[in-house]
Each structure stands twice: as structure tokens, then as C-alpha cells.
Amino acid sequence: MDTVDMGEFVVRRASESDADALVGIDVIAVEGDDGRQASIRRWCGRGLAVVAEDASGLLGYCVVEYTFFEQGFVTMLMVAPSARGRGVGRRLLDAVAASCTTPKLFTSTNVSNQSMQRLLQRAGWSPVGLLHGLDEGDPELFYLCQWQAAAAAPDGRSPAPDFD
């Protein structure tokens, strides 16, 4: 399956050709952050990003990497400011949880990012730890996708939708 129909928008694996459009909706990349722009191009090139799109174009993206203690980790979730409040972030999180290839899926956000914390809690993620020292004065909260942990098959792997 190339895409997963999510109602008014679809979720699909990003391609290298999506990188410029993702840079255009990422509020940090738009401000000229060369590191973020390079990361977006790398994520798209390696097939690590999943995008949500509708007839108007790309609405947001989510990146999962498998370098966090050999478990899935949502490295980035970004929803275009104009698409916020439409369920895009939740649908992206649900899609990456369903496609995660490890028994556990984690993410983190700053204590100051209340909107991300609310999204994670509504999506069924549970807080599992706090780390000081990454961003001075703004600790990092770590979350575990409980749905992903519960959905893992007996062999410890979840069935992955085919985004390719």
C-alpha cells in the first residue's frame, strides 16, 4: 500500500522529492536553520519520514529512527501551523506507532512544550522519565507509546503497514 487514507488527508512515506516542501512547512527550517534543513533532506533520503497530505499539499511529517537503545524513537513531529488542530499530529503518531519495527516506541519533548505533552497523552503515550541538561532550564520529558508496547506481536515485533 502506498498510502493510508486518514479521512480528509492521507499518510504516506516521504520521498526525496518531498524535502523542499517539508522545509517549507517546518517553522525552524523556514527560519533558515541549515541543520534542520539538512536533517529533513537526510530523513527523506533515508526513508525515515512519514508525511500527511491533502489536496492543498503537505500538512506535516514525523520521523522515526532506531538508534535509541535499538528501539524506535520519534525524532521529529512537525505540523504546519495552518494545519494544526485538525488531527494531523495524532494521525502521524498513530501511523508511525503502527509501522514501528521494534517492541517499544519512545519520544521526548521539553517540559515547556505543553501542546506536545497534551497530544502525546491524548494519543495514549505515557511519561517514563525526565532528563535535565539538554536544554538549560527546560528539562526533556520522555514518553513511551503504550499502544505500541501492547500491540507488539508475541515475537516482540509489531506488524508494519507497507508505506512503500
Side-chain angles (χ1 to χ4, degrees):
M1 151 181 30
D2 290 329
T3 60
V4 176
D5 187 354
M6 298 297 205
E8 63 187 73
F9 54 88
V10 296
V11 174
R12 65 172 174 79
R13 180 80 49 206
S15 67
E16 286 186 71
S17 63
D18 291 317
D20 287 338
L22 291 180
V23 166
I25 65 167
D26 185 303
V27 295
I28 303 299
V30 166
E31 293 176 356
D33 186 312
D34 292 337
R36 177 67 67 87
Q37 292 177 19
S39 292
I40 290 170
R41 293 182 200 300
R42 185 181 77 250
W43 294 326
C44 288
R46 293 183 181 168
L48 300 173
V50 174
V51 298
E53 71 178 335
D54 66 7
S56 70
L58 296 180
L59 305 171
Y61 72 99
C62 190
V63 176
V64 175
E65 297 181 279
Y66 295 91
T67 56
F68 185 72
F69 298 97
E70 298 182 11
Q71 299 297 316
F73 192 89
V74 175
T75 304
M76 179 61 57
L77 174 65
M78 179 63 66
V79 177
S82 62
R84 293 180 183 166
R86 293 177 45 196
V88 174
R90 172 70 184 265
R91 299 273 175 83
L92 285 166
L93 285 174
D94 289 350
V96 297
S99 66
C100 183
T101 61
T102 58
K104 296 178 183 173
L105 179 61
F106 293 90
T107 195
S108 69
T109 189
N110 290 96
V111 168
S112 65
N113 192 343
Q114 297 291 311
S115 60
M116 182 63 170
Q117 291 174 53
R118 284 189 300 273
L119 171 60
L120 290 167
Q121 290 168 356
R122 283 192 311 267
W125 294 60
S126 297
V128 293
L130 181 68
L131 178 67
H132 294 272
L134 288 177
D135 294 327
E136 195 60 41
D138 196 5
E140 195 79 6
L141 285 169
F142 284 78
Y143 286 82
L144 171 64
C145 178
Q146 293 297 348
W147 176 82
Q148 169 64 19
D155 67 355
R157 297 177 104 34
S158 65
D162 182 9
F163 286 115
D164 298 321

